[in-house]
C-alpha cells in the first residue's frame, strides 16, 4: 500500500497554479524532465551550494541538471519528486531573482475579481475560464507596452499574473525596468541589440535550440569526448613536478625570486586541474574528483576548492547577470555594466554593491587598472576561501559534510609548508620574504586575465526566463583562439563557450568539441564569438574603458547638478 501511495503521489499532475502556490508558500520547486521536485530538504546539503538551486526555483532545470550532474546523482533526485507536469513548461522568475508568486488565496481572490468584473461588463466568464493570463512573452495580448517590453516581460514579476498587475509588479520588481523608469536608455539599447542579434525568444525557436543542443550532447558522448584523456594528465603531472622541483632547487641555492616565480607558475598550472576536478571532469566520481580538487587547491595552493564550486556553479547558471553572477561582481574596482552605478544588490553575497566615492573614483580608471589589480587576485581568493571555510558556508550534513574538515586540514598544511617552512625558515631577510610572497602570488595573474577575458566584454543584458540555457551561455561567453601548442598555458579556459555548454567535458577534449559546437551554432543561427588572445584583451579593455567613460560623464553631471542646486539656493 505504501508503495502504491508513493507511486500515485509522484504521478499526480500538478497545475501551474498549484506549483505557483507552493513556491509562494516558500517551497523550493524545480522542474526536471517534466517531474516536479521539492528540493527543500536537500537545499542545506547540496555540495554545489544552495544558491545554485535557488536560481532554478520555478524553472525547468533539465538542461542545467544534465550538464552539471552525473546519471547517478540525477537518479537520486527522484526521491524528491512530488508530482509531474504535462506539456511544455514556461518558466517562472525565481524568488531570488525577484519573481512574485501568488498563494492559493490570492489566486482565488483574483479569479473572483475577474468573474465579478466580467459579470459587470456583461461578458461570458466561460470564455476565460482560467486564472492564467496571456504570457507577456508568447501570447498576443493587447497591452500598452512596446513589443520589446513584451519580449522581456518575464524578467521581473511572475509572468502569469494578470495584465494590469504584471506591469505594476514588473516595474517594482525588475532592476532593468527600474533603470528604464529613471530614463536610462542604455539598458534599452543593449536589449535591442541582443534581441536583433540572437534568435527569437518565442517558444518554438527556443525549443528547437534546446533540441539541437541535446542532440549535440549525444554526438559528443558517442564520439567519446566525455572520456578523460589520462595520458594528457600524466604529462600534466610531469610539468607540475618539474616546476615544483625547480622552485625548490632555486630556493635551496638562495635564488629566492626565481624560486617564487616557478612556484607561482606551478600554482598557475594547478588551477586548471582543480577546475577539472570541480566539474567532475577527471574520474567523473564526485568524491574522488572532490578529493583531487581539495588536495591540490588547499594542500598545495591554500585555496578552497569547495568555495570555488559554490561560487562557480552560480556563475554557470546566471552567467554575466549583474545582480546574480559573483564572477562579475568586483565593486568598487571593476564594473562591466553601467547598471552597477545604481548600487545593485548582489543576491550571491547578500549585500548592496554600493556605488560609493571609492567606486566612483576607481571605476573612472578601471581600464588602466585592469592588469595591475588582477596581479593581486590571488590574495582576494585567500580571503574568500577563509570566509567560506571558517564562516560555515558549506554543507555540514549530506554527502559532502566531511569536505570542510579536509579543507581545514589542507589550509593548516599549506600555511605550515608555505608560510613557515618556506617563507620564514628558508628565506633570511625581510625584503626577500616580501618579494617571494608577492612574486609567487602575482605570477599566477594570467589565470585571472583568462577568466575575466571570456566574460567581461560579453553581454550583461537580461533577456528573461524565455531564453534557453544554450543560447544564454553562448550570448554571455566567448572563446579565445590560440594554437594547439599553447593549450597548456590557457588550461582549457580558452574554450569557455564550449565549457559553459558542457561543463563536465574534460578540458583536453574541448578543442575537438569546439568544431561540433560551431556547426551547431551555424545551424541554429546563434553567433559564436571567438577572438585571438590579443584581440580579446583589446575588447575587454575597450569595454572597461567605455564603462569608465560613462562613470566620468555621470560624475560630471552630478557635479553640474550640485553646482546648479547651490547656485539656485542663493
Amino acid at each position: 500500500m505504501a508503495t502504491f501511495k508513493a507511486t500515485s503521489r509522484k504521478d499526480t499532475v500538478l497545475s501551474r497554479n498549484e506549483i505557483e502556490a507552493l513556491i509562494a508558500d516558500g517551497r523550493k520547486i524545480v522542474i526536471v524532465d517534466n517531474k516536479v521536485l521539492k528540493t527543500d530538504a536537500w537545499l542545506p546539503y547540496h555540495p554545489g551550494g544552495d544558491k545554485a538551486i535557488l536560481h532554478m526555483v520555478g524553472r525547468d532545470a533539465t538542461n542545467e541538471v544534465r550538464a552539471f550532474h552525473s546519471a547517478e546523482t540525477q537518479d537520486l533526485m527522484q526521491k524528491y519528486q512530488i508530482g509531474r507536469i504535462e506539456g511544455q513548461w514556461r518558466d517562472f522568475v525565481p524568488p531570488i531573482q525577484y519573481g512574485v508568486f501568488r498563494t492559493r488565496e490570492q489566486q482565488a481572490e483574483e479569479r473572483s475579481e475577474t468573474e465579478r468584473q466580467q459579470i459587470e461588463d456583461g461578458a461570458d466568464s466561460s470564455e476565460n475560464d482560467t486564472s492564467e493570463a496571456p504570457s507577456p512573452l508568447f501570447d498576443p495580448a493587447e497591452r500598452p507596452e512596446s513589443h520589446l517590453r513584451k519580449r522581456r516581460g518575464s524578467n521581473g514579476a511572475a509572468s502569469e499574473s494578470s495584465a494590469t498587475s504584471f506591469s505594476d509588479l514588473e516595474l517594482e520588481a525588475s532592476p532593468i525596468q527600474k533603470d528604464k523608469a529613471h530614463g536610462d536608455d542604455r539598458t534599452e539599447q543593449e536589449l535591442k541589440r541582443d534581441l536583433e542579434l540572437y534568435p527569437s525568444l518565442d517558444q518554438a525557436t527556443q525549443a528547437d535550440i534546446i533540441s539541437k543542443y541535446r542532440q549535440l550532447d549525444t554526438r559528443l558522448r558517442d564520439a567519446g569526448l566525455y572520456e578523460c584523456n589520462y595520458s594528457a594528465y600524466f604529462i600534466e603531472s610531469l610539468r607540475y613536478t618539474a616546476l615544483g622541483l625547480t622552485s625548490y632547487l632555486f630556493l635551496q641555492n638562495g635564488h629566492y625570486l626565481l624560486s617564487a616565480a616557478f612556484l607561482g607558475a606551478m600554482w598557475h598550472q594547478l588551477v586548471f586541474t582543480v577546475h577539472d576536478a570541480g566539474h567532475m571532469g577527471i574520474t567523473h566520481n564526485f568524491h574522488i574528483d572532490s578529493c583531487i580538487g581539495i588536495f591540490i587547491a588547499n594542500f598545495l595552493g591554500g585555496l578552497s576548492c569547495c568555495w570555488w564550486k559554490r561560487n562557480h556553479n552560480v556563475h554557470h547558471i546566471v552567467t554575466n547577470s549583474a545582480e546574480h553572477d559573483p564572477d562579475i561582481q568586483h565593486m568598487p574596482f571593476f564594473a562591466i555594466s553601467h547598471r552597477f552605478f545604481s548600487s545593485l544588490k548582489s543576491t550571491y553575497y547578500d549585500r548592496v554593491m554600493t556605488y560609493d566615492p571609492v567606486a566612483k573614483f576607481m571605476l573612472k580608471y578601471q581600464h588602466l587598472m585592469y592588469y595591475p589589480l588582477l596581479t593581486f587576485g590571488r590574495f582576494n581568493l585567500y580571503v574568500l576561501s577563509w570566509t567560506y571555510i571558517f564562516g560555515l558556508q558549506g554543507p555540514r550534513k549530506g554527502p559532502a559534510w566531511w569536505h570542510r574538515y579536509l579543507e581545514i586540514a589542507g589550509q593548516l598544511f599549506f600555511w605550515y609548508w608555505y608560510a613557515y617552512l618556506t617563507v620564514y625558515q628558508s628565506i633570511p631577510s625581510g625584503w626577500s620574504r616580501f618579494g617571494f610572497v608577492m612574486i609567487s602570488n602575482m605570477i599566477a595573474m594570467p589565470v585571472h586575465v583568462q577568466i575575466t577575458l571570456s566574460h567581461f566584454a560579453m553581454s550583461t543584458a537580461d533577456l528573461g526566463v524565455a531564453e534557453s540555457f544554450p543560447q544564454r551561455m553562448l550570448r554571455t561567453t566567448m572563446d579565445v583562439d590560440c594554437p594547439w601548442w599553447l593549450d597548456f598555458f590557457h588550461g582549457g579556459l580558452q574554450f569557455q563557450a564550449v565549457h559553459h555548454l558542457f561543463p563536465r567535458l574534460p578540458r583536453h577534449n574541448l578543442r575537438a568539441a569546439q568544431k561540433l559546437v560551431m556547426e551547431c551554432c551555424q545551424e541554429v543561427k546563434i553567433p559564436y564569438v571567438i577572438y585571438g588572445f590579443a584581440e580579446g584583451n583589446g575588447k575587454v579593455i575597450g569595454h572597461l574603458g567605455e564603462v569608465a567613460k560613462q562613470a566620468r560623464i555621470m560624475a560630471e553631471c552630478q557635479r553640474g547638478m550640485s553646482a546648479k542646486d547651490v547656485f539656485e539656493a542663493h
Side-chain angles (χ1 to χ4, degrees), residues 39-303:
T39 64
D40 301 60
W42 177 243
L43 202 67
Y45 310 137
H46 184 225
D50 59 339
K51 296 293 175 69
I53 296 178
L54 293 178
H55 282 289
M56 290 290 100
V57 171
R59 299 180 58 182
D60 186 336
T62 303
N63 294 312
E64 288 85 348
V65 166
R66 290 179 180 177
F68 287 97
H69 299 86
S70 65
E72 294 76 16
T73 301
Q74 293 179 50
D75 290 338
L76 289 174
M77 293 179 185
Q78 308 309 314
K79 66 183 294 187
Y80 300 102
Q81 183 181 350
I82 62 171
R84 61 186 179 86
I85 63 168
E86 290 184 340
Q88 186 171 351
W89 179 257
R90 287 187 294 177
D91 290 340
F92 286 114
V93 178
I96 194 174
Q97 297 179 16
Y98 314 112
V100 179
F101 295 83
R102 303 166 298 167
T103 63
R104 295 180 188 275
E105 293 75 15
Q106 290 171 329
Q107 292 176 16
E109 290 175 1
E110 287 187 15
R111 282 195 297 269
S112 298
E113 178 63 23
T114 300
E115 291 170 359
R116 184 187 65 79
Q117 188 65 44
Q118 289 172 341
I119 292 173
E120 290 180 357
D121 295 341
D124 184 359
S125 62
S126 64
E127 295 178 2
N128 297 287
D129 189 20
T130 177
S131 63
E132 184 173 306
S135 165
L137 283 167
F138 306 122
D139 298 338
E142 292 295 330
R143 296 199 181 107
E145 295 93 338
S146 67
H147 175 65
L148 177 62
R149 180 175 176 124
K150 290 180 184 178
R151 297 190 64 170
R152 59 186 171 94
S154 63
N155 185 63
S159 62
E160 305 309 319
S161 55
S162 66
T164 302
S165 61
F166 173 82
S167 299
D168 296 338
L169 288 173
E170 181 189 37
L171 189 62
E172 177 66 24
S174 169
I176 290 182
Q177 289 293 354
K178 286 182 180 180
D179 284 353
K180 182 81 165 60
H182 287 85
D184 185 2
D185 293 330
R186 187 167 293 275
T187 300
E188 188 84 6
Q189 294 170 4
E190 293 178 357
L191 287 166
K192 285 183 178 179
R193 177 199 63 200
D194 283 4
L195 289 169
E196 292 171 357
L197 186 61
Y198 288 86
S200 169
L201 296 180
D202 68 84
Q203 209 165 14
T205 300
Q206 293 301 309
D208 181 64
I209 292 173
I210 291 174
S211 175
K212 295 294 194 302
Y213 165 68
R214 292 177 180 177
Q215 292 174 24
L216 175 59
D217 182 62
T218 301
R219 289 183 65 190
L220 295 175
R221 293 182 186 278
D222 292 344
L225 295 183
Y226 272 92
E227 300 301 319
C228 185
N229 184 352
Y230 292 111
S231 60
Y233 272 107
F234 175 73
I235 297 174
E236 298 279 355
S237 64
L238 293 179
R239 184 184 304 116
Y240 305 155
T241 302
L243 291 170
L245 287 176
T246 303
S247 174
Y248 177 76
L249 290 175
F250 276 127
L251 180 70
Q252 293 300 307
N253 287 278
H255 301 291
Y256 303 122
L257 299 187
L258 283 174
S259 173
F262 277 92
L263 177 59
M266 184 186 74
W267 284 343
H268 168 267
Q269 290 289 294
L270 286 174
V271 163
F272 305 137
T273 299
V274 176
H275 183 257
D276 298 341
H279 281 293
M280 291 190 297
I282 301 178
T283 68
H284 303 305
N285 180 282
F286 170 70
H287 286 299
I288 295 177
D289 279 0
S290 293
C291 287
I292 292 173
I294 291 172
F295 175 75
I296 296 174
N298 289 269
F299 286 77
L300 300 183
L303 305 178

Side-chain angles (χ1 to χ4, degrees), residues 227-492:
E227 300 301 319
C228 185
N229 184 352
Y230 292 111
S231 60
Y233 272 107
F234 175 73
I235 297 174
E236 298 279 355
S237 64
L238 293 179
R239 184 184 304 116
Y240 305 155
T241 302
L243 291 170
L245 287 176
T246 303
S247 174
Y248 177 76
L249 290 175
F250 276 127
L251 180 70
Q252 293 300 307
N253 287 278
H255 301 291
Y256 303 122
L257 299 187
L258 283 174
S259 173
F262 277 92
L263 177 59
M266 184 186 74
W267 284 343
H268 168 267
Q269 290 289 294
L270 286 174
V271 163
F272 305 137
T273 299
V274 176
H275 183 257
D276 298 341
H279 281 293
M280 291 190 297
I282 301 178
T283 68
H284 303 305
N285 180 282
F286 170 70
H287 286 299
I288 295 177
D289 279 0
S290 293
C291 287
I292 292 173
I294 291 172
F295 175 75
I296 296 174
N298 289 269
F299 286 77
L300 300 183
L303 305 178
S304 168
C305 177
C306 295
W307 160 80
W308 174 83
K309 284 198 288 186
R310 181 177 188 262
N311 178 286
H312 198 64
N313 286 340
V314 175
H315 161 69
H316 267 267
I317 290 172
V318 286
T319 308
N320 266 25
S321 171
E323 296 90 353
H324 312 302
D325 182 0
D327 273 17
I328 64 169
Q329 295 175 345
H330 302 296
M331 293 284 281
F333 303 108
F334 296 120
I336 67 171
S337 170
H338 65 281
R339 297 191 55 230
F340 286 101
F341 300 161
S342 58
S343 295
L344 298 177
K345 180 180 179 180
S346 166
T347 59
Y348 181 84
Y349 294 109
D350 292 320
R351 61 175 173 81
V352 175
M353 298 174 285
T354 308
Y355 188 54
D356 56 18
V358 175
K360 291 178 181 179
F361 175 79
M362 294 296 298
L363 297 187
K364 290 190 292 185
Y365 308 102
Q366 63 175 359
H367 56 303
L368 302 177
M369 298 300 296
Y370 175 64
Y371 296 114
L373 285 175
L374 289 185
T375 59
F376 297 94
R378 192 173 179 88
F379 295 105
N380 182 53
L381 297 184
Y382 289 136
V383 175
L384 292 171
S385 297
W386 300 333
T387 302
Y388 174 85
I389 296 173
F390 300 107
L392 305 179
Q393 294 180 3
R396 280 171 280 177
K397 293 182 179 180
W401 69 269
W402 53 274
H403 290 181
R404 173 173 172 264
Y405 299 100
L406 184 60
E407 287 209 305
I408 291 175
Q411 290 291 313
L412 294 175
F413 179 84
F414 171 79
W415 291 107
Y416 175 72
W417 77 258
Y418 175 68
Y420 180 71
L421 293 181
T422 303
V423 177
Y424 182 72
Q425 290 277 37
S426 302
I427 302 176
S429 67
W431 280 112
S432 295
R433 291 169 182 164
F434 175 78
F436 185 92
V437 170
M438 296 305 292
I439 290 178
S440 62
N441 284 278
M442 295 168 70
I443 204 73
M445 183 267 280
V447 170
H448 305 289
V449 173
Q450 187 73 56
I451 293 171
T452 58
L453 179 62
S454 299
H455 300 291
F456 269 24
M458 298 303 290
S459 173
T460 58
D462 188 347
L463 301 190
V465 292
E467 185 178 30
S468 64
F469 170 74
Q471 178 171 311
R472 185 168 63 252
M473 294 302 102
L474 290 164
R475 185 173 58 83
T476 57
T477 308
M478 76 174 185
D479 275 1
V480 176
D481 192 23
C482 72
W484 65 267
W485 51 270
L486 269 179
D487 283 354
F488 83 94
F489 180 78
H490 295 283

